[in-house]
């Protein structure tokens, strides 16, 4: 963890540099808190001379004893995951330009329509609609690193055991303040079922069934909430082939090691066949 | 912070309860670390008897000294913001079902088309395209609690001083692993300019100008990246009125104290005038 700077003979924290004049330090071994403070001070002094700006300090949870010393030296929290805490420090006297933390949870709601015009609905065992008798679309969270189209298929399989294929994003909703001040993005995905026998998951789902779309739309919980009512209307239009959403095109980004998806309207109408058939 | 339980005469941490058998503790005052550990142990024992499951522990950054004791007692990190760290604990012996942390950063790219068929482009002073001469669409991050449509307008105003109105989301891209294992959602927004004189922001923007859309599309950085090429194609189709994206409808959600927006195709074609004119 500690490297000797051969020119100046100073012990510094081991660091890598990013493209934004930033320094990234990942502490892996425990050390005495006073040694840690001394290393932080020396390192920041050196980085200041080198014109560095932001310092990222990643502390694994087993080194929680080093959080307090880092905060005392002027670091603040950037984000945390179950196994680590990321702290940051800004060397210049200017306002920091560090990128913000992840700000949104992303969810999916699945509109699964069968050839009889019935849609897949569930009653949940917990949450806002617990005990209300409300039939709702299967919903769930998009996991870290998971594609929206994949998440919708996975949630339906997990909750009700139905196999599906992704068709379109029909709409999406952005809302705020729903969970510890974070924002939510909910993507309503149309899926085509390829199996029909429901096997519900007992821990989360109280009941699941195929229901005529009109019966779903006529529930008071749908009619009394503008966004639910509007989504039900879109689903009905889609059933009648009067609506077009965004389809998913696999692409690869410059900075991503995995494929990404571009969601847009009607790529089959665009002329470049290389793009249509990657 | 400490409340006396009148029935059992036990000091416990002050807590509120949520709809999911969860307990929320927000520590506001400093306390001795050993006192804190004793209170945690007593409280968890009581909550276990009450059938509680998840425990949320919010520690402000000035109480960083309590992070280590909480971790020693079995808490782990859930998320962090500049001013606090949220830890969690799961009382039952089952696998936890706590909601995941915010997983996505959300960005906007602005397609600002003027009546001459020229679009607003910028060269940035830092980042991946620094020094490459690449002209790109103005982009930026959606701030916490900010609407996508508002963020696009704000970024264009900040970066180049142009006033705009939101028209549509033309497409969106989800990618992964771009920033400390988080995922990105980037919404390409069409904006209509209502002013035309560029006043660029000097700290982030090297150059800004109006450029014919064909010139933008012909840059090798666009042609060599499938998602950029495809987005340029969509913008060109939009310029020629051959493309329809998702417009924004203000709604209010059951759980939100602010308005939310539902983005979808062609709400003006749907029949309910109550929804069209909220």
């Amino acid at each position: 963890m500690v490297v000797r700077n051969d020119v100046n003979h100073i012990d510094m924290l081991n660091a890598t540099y990013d493209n934004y004049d930033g320094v990234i330090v990942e502490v892996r071994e425990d050390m005495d808190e006073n040694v840690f403070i001394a290393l932080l001070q020396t390192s920041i002094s050196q980085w200041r001379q080198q014109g560095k700006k932001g310092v990222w300090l990643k502390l694994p949870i087993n080194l929680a004893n080093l959080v307090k010393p880092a905060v005392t030296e002027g670091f603040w929290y950037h984000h945390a995951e179950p196994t680590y805490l990321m702290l940051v420090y800004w060397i210049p006297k200017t306002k920091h330009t560090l990128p913000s933390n992840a700000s949104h949870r992303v969810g999916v709601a699945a509109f699964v329509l069968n050839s009889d015009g019935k849609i897949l609905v569930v009653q949940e065992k917990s949450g806002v609609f617990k005990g209300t008798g409300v039939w709702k679309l299967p919903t769930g969270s998009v996991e870290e690193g998971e594609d929206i189209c994949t998440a919708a298929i996975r949630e339906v399989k997990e909750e009700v055991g139905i196999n599906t294929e992704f068709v379109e994003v029909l709409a999406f909703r952005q809302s705020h303040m729903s969970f510890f001040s974070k924002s939510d993005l909910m993507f309503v995905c149309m899926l085509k079922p390829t199996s029909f026998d429901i096997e519900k998951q007992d821990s989360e789902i109280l009941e699941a069934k195929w229901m005529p779309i009109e019966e779903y739309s006529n529930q008071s919980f749908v009619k009394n909430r503008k966004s639910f009512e509007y989504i039900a209307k879109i689903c009905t239009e889609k059933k009648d082939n009067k609506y077009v959403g965004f389809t998913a095109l696999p692409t690869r980004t410059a900075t991503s090691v995995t494929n990404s998806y571009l969601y847009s309207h009607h790529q089959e109408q665009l002329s470049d066949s290389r793009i249509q058939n990657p």
Side-chain angles (χ1 to χ4, degrees), chain A:
Chain A
M1 196 55 235
V2 177
V3 290
R4 182 162 291 274
N5 177 323
D6 282 322
V7 179
N8 297 307
H9 303 290
I10 298 166
D11 281 339
M12 282 180 66
L13 289 164
N14 202 351
T16 55
Y17 300 145
D18 67 21
N19 287 334
Y20 299 83
D21 293 323
V23 175
I24 304 168
V25 177
E26 190 169 347
V27 184
R28 292 196 175 86
E29 291 161 25
D30 199 9
M31 64 180 84
D32 177 83
E33 294 169 23
N34 290 320
V35 171
F36 179 62
I37 288 175
L39 281 168
L40 268 183
Q41 291 173 345
T42 309
S43 303
I44 288 171
S45 171
Q46 289 288 309
W47 295 325
R48 180 176 287 117
Q49 289 181 34
Q50 294 168 17
K52 297 299 175 190
K53 294 178 178 172
V55 181
W56 300 89
L57 176 64
K58 184 176 180 177
L59 293 178
I61 192 167
N62 64 310
L63 304 184
N65 56 309
L66 301 182
V67 174
K68 169 72 177 170
V71 169
T72 305
E73 288 305 305
F75 280 78
W76 69 92
Y77 303 150
H78 187 272
H79 68 274
E81 291 297 323
T83 59
Y84 73 87
L85 175 62
M86 183 71 81
L87 298 100
V88 284
Y89 181 86
W90 188 247
I91 296 175
K93 295 200 188 303
T94 56
K95 183 162 172 278
H96 85 78
T97 58
L98 297 165
S100 57
N101 188 2
S103 56
H104 284 64
R105 296 178 71 218
V106 177
V108 286
F111 171 63
V112 187
L113 180 71
N114 72 14
S115 54
D116 297 332
K118 289 182 178 172
I119 65 171
L120 203 50
V121 290
V122 299
Q123 290 187 353
E124 292 178 350
K125 282 194 172 172
S126 62
V128 178
F129 295 117
K130 176 183 174 179
T132 59
V134 158
W135 292 97
K136 58 189 284 296
L137 303 182
T139 55
S141 291
V142 177
E143 294 177 354
E144 199 166 288
E146 187 179 36
D147 290 310
I148 290 162
C149 46
T150 310
I153 292 170
R154 175 186 53 73
E155 281 290 345
V156 170
K157 181 68 179 175
E158 281 179 10
E159 292 194 355
V160 293
I162 299 286
N163 297 317
T164 57
E165 292 169 356
F166 176 80
V167 181
E168 281 184 349
V169 168
L170 296 182
F172 61 90
R173 190 188 70 192
Q174 187 193 23
S175 53
H176 307 297
M177 299 291 289
S178 59
F179 177 70
F180 294 125
S181 90
K182 295 293 180 174
S183 299
D184 270 336
L185 272 164
M186 167 69 81
F187 293 85
V188 183
C189 298
M190 184 182 192
L191 304 177
K192 182 183 168 190
T194 58
S195 75
F196 302 93
D197 293 336
I198 291 172
E199 285 182 58
K200 77 179 178 68
Q201 182 207 54
D202 287 333
S203 64
E204 291 178 34
I205 304 298
L206 184 67
E207 296 284 352
K209 66 175 181 180
W210 295 99
M211 176 185 268
I213 190 166
E214 297 76 15
E215 192 178 335
Y216 168 80
S217 302
N218 279 331
Q219 296 179 98
S220 63
F221 111 95
V222 174
K223 296 175 94 164
N224 292 340
R225 286 171 179 80
K226 188 155 70 167
S227 62
F228 283 80
E229 186 183 24
Y230 192 73
I231 288 166
K233 193 175 288 287
I234 287 172
C235 292
T236 304
E237 299 263 335
K238 184 71 201 175
K239 168 178 160 277
D240 299 334
N241 286 319
K242 292 179 182 166
Y243 186 86
V244 184
F246 278 1
T247 45
L249 177 78
T251 62
R252 188 178 285 275
T253 65
T255 54
S256 174
V257 293
T258 60
N259 265 333
S260 64
Y261 278 93
L262 185 72
Y263 295 81
S264 64
H265 179 200
H266 267 181
Q267 78 257 23
E268 68 278 13
Q269 293 188 344
L270 298 179
S271 55
D272 189 334
S273 62
R274 278 190 304 124
I275 287 176
Q276 288 172 50
N277 304 303

